[in-house]
Structures are given as structure tokens and as C-alpha cells.
Amino acid sequence: TARSSTMAAGRVYDIVVFGASGFTGQFVVEEVARAAAATAAGEGQLCSGRLRWAVAGRNREKLRAVLDRAAGQLGKAALGDEVGVLLCDVDDAGSLAAMAKQTRVVLSCVGPYRFFGEPVVKACVENGASFIDICGEPQFLEGMYLKYNEKAAEKGVYVIGSCGFDSIPADMGVLYTRDKLKGTLTAVESFLSVKSGPEGLGVHDGTWKSAVYGIADEASLKKLRKQIGYAAIPVVGAKLKKRGFMFYSPEFKEYCLRFMGADGSVVKRTQHYLHTELQQTPVQYGAYVTVGGLGSVIKLMFLGMLFLLLVKFNFGRKLLTKYPEFFSAGRFSKKGPTQKQMDETSFTMTFFGEGYSEGQDPQNAKPNVKICTEVKGPEPGYVATPIAMVQAALSLLEDSASLPKQGGVYSPGAAFSKTKLIDRLNKRGIEFSVISKPEV
């Protein structure tokens, strides 16, 4: 399109990875390097025929080390001089502006976003770069919508949050389920199962911190939503029953909990957008996670109660952030998971949808069609997340004709519902499939 080519003119890079030497950033760098190699081999549709990219952060040595590590992972001697190295700091607005002026898209890997996210969004919007993050913090995501949606629209740039494991599998999974159902999908429940190997599950402490501060500050999320003043989405079809906080699932033969992540909030924003802007039938959604047998439940309940007790107090939050391993029974740590833990971990998200066959009126009948779909992928935090983030960026760059007509702050489903993102993810090992399609 004419617009994106004028935007691209004078920009040295297609993608800059900000926070490249952070724990998650290093994996994102590796994934961008992989995408650049694929583009060079003629697999992408970038106008220049190659992906021009850079890493950005505070410390040149660390950034160089991350590029060397990525080259090693790809089996290359080095990534070569074509990859830029930009020095910038989240506390230095000038350096962020300089970064944003040089690229079409910034991939922001510096969290917790509630502390470090906004300066990057601001720099991008003011300097005409699009912005993608992997945030799972509803307060930040919705706050950015309130503050920057209109500005981003004026500038013609896209600010798309939660493009990692939170919440691309859930958000795109609901859309996939809707598109595969013959008829009208009106309600979906998703169940997340994470399987780990003998070494157990490992998560880096950045995610733990985001959770500590997010749960501590829940009251301000309610205030923020009042300020945004979302119009209520109509309930179409049978109302989805709210389940208890914990329940036993006969399908999985495991206990399940309500999923505490950003998925519910993100899917709701997507459905709101698709309903108000594109007049599509809104889908009701519930997000759950399987936790195993009674033993796991008791352990989790104990840890959960301790967490909720401590998170309310300043000293409690200090304890939680200082000793993540102790308070999470070894799951979260300051050094993050080992390569072996990551290799042995995978996730499956199962979607149970219901709706109405073509010609059935959802307003006065019982749902008469069901569908079950699944999104499967590798380890969520540091393998699936970088894949999702980088494919979102490529979708933004290459499928630009299928994006919403104007810029703005979008959830992934709102931004990418008409693009080839799901095909891209399928090719990279985050696989969407239909499990069963019972007939009417």
C-alpha cells in the first residue's frame, strides 16, 4: 500500500527488538534471526526481499553477546553486520524516540510493563512506529488503549499488546473456532493444560513480578474500566454459565481453576471490537486451566492463599519478589528455566464452542451445534511466546492490507482477524486444529 511504503521510506529497520538482552528478549532475538534467514531464503513477502532488523538495550556488550548466542543457536558463525545495535534506555525518552524513528515495528520485551511499558508506547506513537508487546497485564493493556488509541489512529500506527502466550492462543483460538463452526458461534470455554517433563516447570521471575504487582493493584483496574466506559456487549444465544473458582472436569478427569491471566480480558476486548466495528456476532468466553488431582489442588490452594495474603502488604510483596522460588514451590526463579525444562514442556489449549446452525435463530432456541478445537504448542513462556510475537510482527509488516483500516491500540484478534496469522503460527509449530465437529 502507498501509505506503508511512505512510512517505510527513510526507516532503516523493519523490526527492532527492545530489551533484547533480557531473559525473554534473547529468545525473541533468536526467533527474529530465524525469520530473517527464512525471508532471505525467499519465504517471506517483504518488499525489500530481506528482513532488516536491530537489537536495542542499554549495554552494547550484552547486546553483542545475545547476537552471538542467536548465531550459535542457528548454527552460524555470526549474524553479520546487517543486524543493527541500538543503545537506548527506558528512562531516556530521547533514546527511545531515536529508536522508534528508525524502524517500522518495535518489539518491546521489557517488563513488568506497568513500570517500563508506557515510555516505549509513547515513543512509538509519537514517532510513527508500530508497537508489539508480550504483556499479560490487563491494566497496562487497557490503560494504553485509553491513553493512546486516538493518537495512534491519527498517526496510522498499530499498538498491539499481549502478542505472546498471553493472549494469542486464546484470542486467535476463539476466532479460529468461530470460523470453523458451520453456523453462528455464541459461546466458548477454553481449558489450558501445560505438561512438563521430569525436571518440572520453570518460569523466569519477571512473570512472577508482573503477577505480584497486578494482583496487588486489582482495584485500579476496575476504576480504569469505568473510565474507558466499555459499552456492554449483548449476550447472543444461551448465556454461558459462570463456573466456580474450582471444579472437576469430566472431560479432562482433572480439577480446573479459573484462569487468572489476561486471556479473558483480551478476548473480551476483541469481541467488543468485532461487534461494534464489524457488526459480527459477539462470542461469550470463559478461560480455565487444568491443575491435576486432589493433591495438586491442595498444594495450589495453600500457595494461593499465602500469595493473596502477602500480596496485600508492602512487606509481603517484598518477600514475594525476593524469594520467588520459595513461594511458588520452585516454579518461578530468578534464573528462569533450563533448556532441558523448556524442551520437555508444552501446552494444549482446548476450546469447547457452542452455537446455532445456519438458519437457527439464536434469540429463542437452545444451542444446537457444538465444536471442539485445539491450539497446541511448545513451552509457553520462552518458545511459544517469541514465535507468536515475531509472527505477529511479520503479519503486521506483510499482511498490512488485511489490518484494520486505521491505526490504533488493538488486541491481537482485533488487529489480525483478517490476516494470515494463524497460517503463519501453524507453520512455526503453534498448531490450530479441529478436534471434533459433532453434527446438529
Side-chain angles (χ1 to χ4, degrees):
T1 55
R3 188 192 60 191
S4 57
S5 56
T6 49
M7 287 283 304
R11 293 190 182 252
V12 198
Y13 304 113
D14 298 306
I15 291 175
V16 170
V17 181
F18 177 63
S21 56
F23 190 79
T24 310
Q26 61 182 336
F27 298 110
V28 173
V29 167
E30 197 182 308
E31 195 53 36
V32 176
R34 222 175 256 126
T39 306
E43 289 172 33
Q45 302 97 37
L46 282 169
C47 33
S48 59
R50 64 192 188 101
L51 185 67
R52 305 159 311 156
W53 64 288
V55 291
R58 287 183 300 200
N59 181 312
R60 192 180 296 276
E61 280 65 49
K62 280 186 183 167
L63 293 170
R64 286 259 168 248
V66 163
L67 290 175
D68 290 343
R69 180 188 173 277
Q73 297 285 38
L74 268 72
K76 295 182 170 184
L79 290 178
D81 299 333
E82 79 273 12
V83 183
V85 175
L86 307 178
L87 287 183
C88 59
D89 188 327
V90 79
D91 294 328
D92 175 356
S95 71
L96 295 178
M99 166 181 75
K101 283 191 177 99
Q102 295 182 63
T103 187
R104 294 169 68 191
V105 187
V106 169
L107 302 188
S108 176
C109 304
V110 180
Y113 290 91
R114 65 166 55 239
F115 300 134
F116 306 117
E118 187 177 347
V120 191
V121 173
K122 187 172 191 286
C124 286
V125 171
E126 286 174 357
N127 296 286
S130 286
F131 167 97
I132 286 179
D133 70 36
I134 43 181
C135 175
E137 306 160 48
Q139 207 183 328
F140 172 75
L141 298 163
E142 297 182 38
M144 292 304 96
Y145 172 79
L146 184 63
K147 279 180 101 162
Y148 293 98
N149 186 43
E150 281 169 21
K151 266 190 199 138
E154 278 164 32
K155 288 277 195 177
V157 301
Y158 298 89
V159 172
I160 311 169
S162 56
C163 287
F165 178 68
D166 303 72
S167 288
I168 278 184
D171 205 13
M172 299 309 290
V174 170
L175 298 185
Y176 176 84
T177 308
R178 176 198 73 179
D179 294 343
K180 293 296 179 197
L181 183 82
K182 290 228 181 320
T184 306
L185 181 73
T186 55
V188 181
E189 291 183 318
S190 71
F191 289 80
L192 167 67
S193 298
V194 178
K195 294 277 173 276
S196 53
E199 311 260 314
L201 201 61
V203 190
H204 185 252
D205 123 277
T207 304
W208 176 257
K209 281 190 185 133
S210 300
V212 170
Y213 297 117
I215 292 168
D217 201 17
E218 262 180 327
S220 33
L221 181 56
K222 289 198 176 80
K223 273 193 212 126
L224 175 65
R225 286 178 176 160
K226 273 215 177 74
Q227 247 182 307
I228 294 172
Y230 293 115
I233 322 177
V235 170
V236 177
K239 192 165 167 49
L240 187 60
K241 283 190 189 66
K242 270 261 194 288
R243 294 176 181 259
F245 184 71
M246 192 187 80
F247 56 94
Y248 182 77
S249 155
E251 290 93 356
F252 294 98
K253 301 192 173 36
E254 285 189 43
Y255 283 91
C256 301
L257 297 175
R258 222 177 299 154
F259 183 60
M260 303 284 281
D263 290 355
S265 124
V266 173
V267 169
K268 206 169 182 173
R269 283 172 52 216
T270 292
Q271 294 304 321
H272 183 272
Y273 170 83
L274 296 175
H275 175 65
T276 51
E277 298 296 319
L278 306 181
Q279 287 68 57
Q280 295 176 359
T281 305
V283 178
Q284 307 167 66
Y285 176 66
Y288 304 97
V289 56
T290 64
V291 294
L294 210 49
S296 311
V297 169
I298 291 164
K299 194 163 108 181
L300 250 175
M301 292 306 255
F302 175 72
L303 285 171
M305 278 145 114
L306 189 60
F307 185 94
L308 290 173
L309 186 74
L310 288 172
V311 86
K312 297 275 177 260
F313 307 99
N314 198 4
F315 84 91
R317 291 193 289 278
K318 281 201 176 109
L319 277 177
L320 287 168
T321 50
K322 198 169 176 192
Y323 304 108
E325 266 180 277
F326 178 77
F327 289 107
S328 68
R331 283 187 176 173
F332 290 84
S333 69
K334 292 189 189 294
K335 57 183 189 306
T338 62
Q339 190 60 49
K340 191 166 178 350
Q341 277 178 314
M342 285 173 6
D343 293 342
E344 291 172 349
T345 302
S346 63
F347 78 88
T348 305
M349 205 172 228
T350 310
F351 297 82
F352 297 101
E354 61 173 34
Y356 296 79
S357 56
E358 285 151 354
Q360 251 324 77
D361 178 10
Q363 293 310 26
N364 52 17
K366 271 200 159 86
N368 69 336
V369 280
K370 285 188 152 125
I371 184 169
C372 173
T373 64
E374 179 177 272
V375 179
K376 283 172 95 131
E379 187 280 329
Y382 314 103
V383 186
T385 286
I387 291 170
M389 186 184 217
V390 173
Q391 294 309 315
L394 292 172
S395 214
L396 193 61
L397 293 165
E398 295 179 3
D399 309 343
S400 54
S402 313
L403 294 170
K405 292 282 174 283
Q406 67 178 149
V409 177
Y410 290 97
S411 55
F416 297 121
S417 74
K418 295 181 171 168
T419 67
K420 300 199 192 74
L421 179 57
I422 288 175
D423 299 341
R424 294 171 182 283
L425 294 167
N426 272 324
K427 287 196 184 96
R428 283 293 295 119
I430 296 178
E431 293 164 13
F432 291 67
S433 62
V434 176
I435 300 302
S436 67
K437 259 186 169 165
E439 286 314 302
V440 177

